[in-house]
């Protein structure tokens, strides 16, 4: 019962995280003329402030000593921080350079990459439908590569970096707030140093663009921390395959924003590639729902076969 409640809680966290990520392309253009690296540095600095306030409110500090005493765990945290920095920076650059649709593709194929990582690194076994979905996903990437005249590298880097981040978070098995605090703490000094250097060079936009712009840059802490805390909480409660299913929510919003709001081009070959990806995801969803129904039916049959537990006979009087 406790495990079931944990999974339900993880699902809620996952829905919250991916819903917020789906709408975040609306936020990054508001930060222009700041460049992607400057925005990334502000994300790192302000996220630590937000998480620090959360830790003060919850009075959770004991984990820091435990983390510092475990070099392997500290190393995994540093690796997670590095991987998510690549993901953050590339995504900001893509949105602010008219590549929202290609960025959304990265999160569409992320479930397929996540499943593949589960097989290759965690020894998870795939059903035939899942293998077929992965194969269709590979075909979609090839079609899009031909259509673009190059591999969709933005999509691929986003997909692989975020899948790797999810895997590392699962191995760390830390709470969402704690893991994000550790990652942003490791990123804080390099990010702050870069921002100070920009200011010394007269190239910082933080003070130059007015109070409103500075407030938006500071808000990157909230925009970054809240969904990542939710994702971290989900990653330790639900399987990687379930995270892959939840991932669909964010790219649907992102794709819709790219086409409808940002008016990005969708030539026929791009529609063809995306259609293959959607077919693969539909197959995955159908297989997951069918498997869940079968598992529920088997559990109910097992309970029915077991029947009521007979009461233990009362001891005879002496």
């Amino acid at each position: 019962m406790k495990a079931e409640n944990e999974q339900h809680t993880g699902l809620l966290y996952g829905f919250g995280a991916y819903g917020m990520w789906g709408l975040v392309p609306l936020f990054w253009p508001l930060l222009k003329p700041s460049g992607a690296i400057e925005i990334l540095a502000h994300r790192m600095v302000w996220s630590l402030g937000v998480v620090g306030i959360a830790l003060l409110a919850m009075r959770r500090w004991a984990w820091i000593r435990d983390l510092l005493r475990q070099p392997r765990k500290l190393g995994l945290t540093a690796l997670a921080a590095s991987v998510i920095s690549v993901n953050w920076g590339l995504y900001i650059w893509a949105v602010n350079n008219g590549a929202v649709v290609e960025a959304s593709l990265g999160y569409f194929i992320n479930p397929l990459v996540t499943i593949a990582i589960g097989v290759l690194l965690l020894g998870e076994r795939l059903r035939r439908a899942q293998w077929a979905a992965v194969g269709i996903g590979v075909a979609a990437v090839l079609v899009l590569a031909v259509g673009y005249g190059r591999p969709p590298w933005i999509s691929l880097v986003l997909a692989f970096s975020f899948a790797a981040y999810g895997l590392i978070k699962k191995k760390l098995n830390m709470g969402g707030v704690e893991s994000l605090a550790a990652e942003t703490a490791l990123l804080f000094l390099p990010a702050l140093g870069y921002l100070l250097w920009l200011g010394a060079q007269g190239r910082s936009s933080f003070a130059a663009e007015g109070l409103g712009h500075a407030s938006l840059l500071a808000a990157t802490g909230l925009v970054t921390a809240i969904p990542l805390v939710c994702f971290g909480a989900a990653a330790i409660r639900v399987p990687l395959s379930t995270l892959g299913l939840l991932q669909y929510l964010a790219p649907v919003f992102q794709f819709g924003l790219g086409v409808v709001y940002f008016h990005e081009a969708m030539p026929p070959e791009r529609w063809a590639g995306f259609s293959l990806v959607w077919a693969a995801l539909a197959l995955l969803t159908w297989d997951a729902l069918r498997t869940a129904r079968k598992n529920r039916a088997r559990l109910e049959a097992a309970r029915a076969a077991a029947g009521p537990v007979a009461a233990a006979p009362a001891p005879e009087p002496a």
Side-chain angles (χ1 to χ4, degrees):
M1 187 65 178
K2 183 179 179 181
E4 187 175 340
N5 289 337
E6 280 288 290
Q7 286 210 1
H8 287 162
T9 302
L11 286 173
L12 291 176
Y13 278 121
F15 277 118
Y18 288 119
M20 287 182 278
W21 276 320
L23 297 175
V24 81
L26 296 173
F27 179 72
W28 302 126
L30 300 178
L31 303 182
K32 292 180 179 179
S34 299
I37 298 178
E38 183 179 3
I39 296 172
L40 175 61
H42 277 285
R43 290 187 77 173
M44 296 172 181
V45 169
W46 294 107
S47 295
L48 181 60
V50 172
V51 176
I53 293 171
L55 288 173
L56 280 173
M58 295 183 292
R59 298 181 180 179
R60 292 185 188 173
W61 303 108
W63 61 272
I64 298 176
R65 184 181 301 173
D66 294 336
L67 178 62
L68 294 175
R69 289 176 176 175
Q70 300 178 63
R72 180 180 178 275
K73 202 167 187 177
L74 190 59
L76 284 174
T77 303
L79 182 60
S82 301
V83 170
I84 200 60
S85 295
V86 172
N87 186 276
W88 288 354
L90 180 58
Y91 187 76
I92 295 167
W93 182 89
V95 170
N96 285 353
N97 284 273
V100 176
V101 169
E102 188 174 348
S104 76
L105 175 64
Y107 294 107
F108 272 124
I109 66 176
N110 176 253
L112 303 173
V113 174
T114 300
I115 289 172
I117 286 179
V119 172
L120 296 175
L121 300 183
L122 301 182
E124 296 179 359
R125 298 179 63 184
L126 295 189
R127 296 177 292 275
R128 281 180 293 181
Q130 291 174 311
W131 279 116
V134 172
I136 294 171
V138 172
V141 171
L142 294 176
V143 169
L144 288 164
V146 172
Y148 279 111
R150 58 170 176 80
W153 66 271
I154 294 175
S155 308
L156 293 173
V157 173
L158 289 174
F160 276 92
S161 60
F162 203 73
Y165 181 68
L167 174 63
I168 298 167
K169 297 280 276 191
K170 198 165 187 68
K171 287 186 174 294
L172 279 170
N173 195 28
M174 293 174 63
V177 176
E178 292 87 346
S179 61
L180 180 58
E183 292 160 21
T184 51
L186 291 170
L187 297 170
F188 178 79
L189 287 179
L192 182 61
Y194 177 76
L195 292 176
L196 292 174
W197 177 82
L198 276 184
Q201 297 290 315
R203 296 164 53 192
S204 173
S205 65
F206 182 71
E209 298 296 324
L211 181 59
H213 184 75
S215 299
L216 286 173
L217 285 172
T220 56
L222 291 172
V223 171
T224 300
I226 294 175
L228 270 175
V229 167
C230 292
F231 175 78
I236 62 174
R237 288 175 169 86
V238 298
L240 281 177
S241 55
T242 304
L243 284 180
L245 293 174
L246 291 175
Q247 167 70 20
Y248 302 161
L249 186 61
V252 166
F253 285 143
Q254 293 167 6
F255 177 82
L257 289 172
V259 174
V260 177
Y261 183 80
F262 293 104
H263 305 292
E264 294 185 15
M266 283 293 293
E269 60 272 14
R270 188 175 289 187
W271 279 114
F274 270 86
S275 296
L276 285 173
V277 171
W278 295 333
L281 297 181
L283 181 59
L284 278 182
T285 304
W286 169 80
D287 178 69
L289 293 174
R290 183 189 63 168
T291 302
R293 282 197 298 267
K294 285 183 177 180
N295 290 339
R296 282 196 299 269
R298 288 173 184 169
L299 182 59
E300 291 171 1
R303 287 174 177 172
V309 179
E316 295 182 1

